[in-house]
Each structure stands twice: as structure tokens, then as C-alpha cells.
Amino acid sequence: MTELTRPRRLAPGARVAVVATSGPVPEERLQAGLDVLRGWDLDPVAAPHVLDRHGQFGYLAGSDADRAADLQNAWCDPTVDAVLCARGGYGAQRMIDLLDWEAMRAAGPKVFLGFSDITSLHEAFATRLGLATLYGPMAAGIDFIKNTRAQEHLKATLFAPETVRTIASGGTALVPGRARGITLGGCPSLLATDLGTPHARPSAAGGLLCLEDVGEQPYRLDRCLTQLLRAGWLEGVRAILLGSWERCGDYAAVRTTLADRLGTLGVPVAEEFGFGHCAGALTIPFGVAAELDADTATLTLDEPALR
């Protein structure tokens, strides 16, 4: 696994597009998110279909074709410096094969931000575009709108990434140790369902794997992780960072499952790392070289997340 191309950092006045790739977006939360971006001296623009609702499937923000078109058009617009996902939910996998990856590659690198269901797009941006991305709070999310820690860490990552080269989570070591590698990851439920698709990387070998999820009971997390293990996808992973497990049941049971499935890999594992669906979520760059110290629960990037 090699480092990916890092996009340029943002500057005051930068134009950022907000797109809905997955679930429907509440208008009041979108407007609040746009206000936050304006407060950062950015120039936000909402994609044409960001507030759409699918006529048949209420869990989708508009049709697959329209969601794909919004993402592609924003990415290929030379006046746009960053593309921010409005929210997760479900739906990115339905539209991902409708994107023209050749056209998006030709458009060059820019900042891409999202988490949760956006896991599938992070993987595709890595394999199809060779681009480092940001796994962090989304523009219509509660954390983005209301949580000071989440806002400050994301803003620093976007504007002054050299100030957050060391990400200290306040977590603990599930398996002690230090390791170096390239960051990647997301929700294991989505990484498992990505296997066998055109955008899935063959394995996490050489990686610092960041995992978190929401609404997945321990037996379902067991199933996802077992699938990744059986597929050989986790062979050669250097270390694992565990984020939040919101609505996944009692954390003691979740922790036991994670330790059982991941503890035998023989690599450092840091838990409660403070990214994902938790309040005050940290922004984690994917596709960059870094070192994890599980004992101190710190991730130190070799270079700033953005150039």
C-alpha cells in the first residue's frame, strides 16, 4: 500500500459543493451546515438535488442518477475546491457505478469529505482516483452543526492541517504496540459488502485500518469482521484504530467481539479513538502515511493531511 495524492488545503473564499450521495437531507440541517461553512469564510453551494426525496424509496435522497450527477458535476467543476457530503444513511453503493471515473480523474484532486455510508466512496476514490480523502463530520450532521470539538478539528484539518498532524484521541490500547502504515477504513459493514466489487482494494495489507460503525449489534459486527478475515482482506494489516460503535449494543459486548475477531491478528489495536458516529468526532485522513501508538492512543501523520 502506498501513499495517495493529497489535495490542496482550503483558503478563505474557497468554493465548496455540498452533495447528497446517500440518504435524504433535512432542509433545516442543511441550511445550518451551510451557515457554518459561511462562518468559516467559505463559499458553499448546495447541489441541485441535495434536498430531493426518492419517489419510491424514502431512505434515498433522490434517484441514483441524480445523486451521481450531482457528485460528478461538482467534482468536475473547476471552480469547486472541495466536495462535502451532506449526510450518510444508505445509497452510495447504488450510485457509485454511475460515476464517470475517467472524467473525475481528469478533473484533478480536490478535498472530499464524508463518513459512514461514504465508506464505499472513500474506497473508490482511493482505488479509482488514487486520492487521499477525509473521514469526518458531514455538512448536515449534528456534529458538524453543533459540536465545537468536531468543528474545530475539521476546520483545522481543512485550513491548517500542519496543526493537527498528531491526532490524540484519549482512547486506550486494546492491544499495545506501535506500527506504521497507510490510513484507510470506515464502517466494517460496508467494507465487507464492498468485497468483490470493481472499487474494492484487494486487501488492507500495509494499512492502519480505521473501523467504526452504527446500529450493528455484536453478532452482526462479528459477521462483517469474519467475512473480512475469511476473504483474507485483513492479512498484512499493520494496526487497527477503533472508533465509535453507536447503537451497537452494550460496549462491553462489542469490545469482546472486536477483541475476539481482531486481537489474533498480532498487531496493535487502539480503541475508543473518537472518530465516527460519536459526539465531537475527529477527522481522520485516509490514504496518508502515519504511525499509530496504541499505548498513547495517538496517530501521527508523516505529513499534513492536505498540501
Side-chain angles (χ1 to χ4, degrees):
M1 191 176 297
T2 59
E3 291 183 79
L4 303 180
T5 300
R6 293 176 298 132
R8 292 190 179 279
R9 69 188 66 196
L10 300 185
R15 194 167 191 235
V16 297
V18 178
V19 301
T21 63
S22 305
V25 179
E27 183 173 5
E28 65 278 6
R29 279 172 37 185
L30 173 66
Q31 294 304 326
L34 295 177
D35 286 343
V36 170
L37 293 169
R38 294 187 187 101
W40 293 354
D41 291 326
L42 293 171
D43 176 22
V45 56
H49 300 283
V50 71
L51 291 174
D52 282 7
R53 298 291 191 277
H54 194 285
Q56 186 175 8
F57 303 118
Y59 49 79
L60 297 175
S63 70
D64 299 339
D66 286 342
R67 298 197 317 282
D70 275 0
L71 173 55
Q72 183 170 317
N73 290 339
W75 193 263
C76 294
D77 184 340
T79 71
V80 170
D81 301 293
V83 176
L84 315 182
C85 294
R87 62 155 294 187
Y90 169 73
Q93 287 184 314
R94 289 178 53 119
M95 50 75 78
I96 198 168
D97 295 318
L98 302 178
L99 296 168
D100 184 340
W101 292 100
E102 292 298 326
M104 292 175 66
R105 185 181 299 110
K110 58 186 67 176
V111 173
F112 179 71
L113 170 72
F115 77 105
S116 193
D117 191 56
I118 315 305
T119 297
S120 298
L121 285 166
H122 283 291
E123 284 290 282
F125 272 64
T127 59
R128 290 301 185 98
L129 304 184
L131 185 66
T133 53
L134 300 178
Y135 194 85
M138 293 179 280
I142 296 297
D143 231 28
F144 185 95
I145 297 167
K146 295 186 176 182
N147 190 283
T148 300
R149 182 174 104 140
Q151 290 176 344
E152 290 180 349
H153 193 260
L154 173 59
K155 184 179 179 183
T157 302
L158 293 173
F159 289 94
E162 67 281 352
T163 66
V164 285
R165 274 185 57 191
T166 295
I167 301 173
S169 71
T172 58
L174 185 62
V175 179
R178 299 164 69 102
R180 293 182 49 77
I182 307 298
T183 55
L184 76 158
C187 295
S189 57
L190 289 159
L191 293 171
T193 54
D194 243 17
L195 293 177
T197 69
H199 312 288
R201 68 183 86 210
S203 78
L208 301 180
L209 180 59
C210 307
L211 297 176
E212 64 90 20
D213 221 316
V214 60
E216 300 288 348
Q217 292 297 308
Y219 79 93
R220 288 160 64 173
L221 292 172
D222 187 314
R223 180 172 61 201
C224 298
L225 295 173
T226 299
Q227 171 66 3
L228 293 171
L229 286 165
R230 293 183 66 219
W233 199 79
L234 293 174
E235 292 179 9
V237 70
R238 299 281 178 79
I240 298 175
L241 294 75
L242 301 174
S244 66
W245 306 96
E246 292 295 306
R247 302 197 302 277
C248 291
D250 178 65
Y251 182 65
V254 171
R255 188 177 190 270
T256 299
T257 301
L258 296 171
D260 177 79
R261 295 287 76 195
L262 302 174
T264 59
L265 293 171
V267 301
V269 180
E271 63 176 329
E272 299 185 283
F273 210 85
F275 65 91
H277 291 79
C278 54
L282 301 170
T283 298
I284 306 292
F286 285 172
V288 300
E291 180 177 80
L292 171 69
D293 185 336
D295 300 275
T296 61
T298 55
L299 179 71
T300 302
L301 312 181
D302 285 10
E303 297 183 281
L306 304 176
R307 292 185 289 127

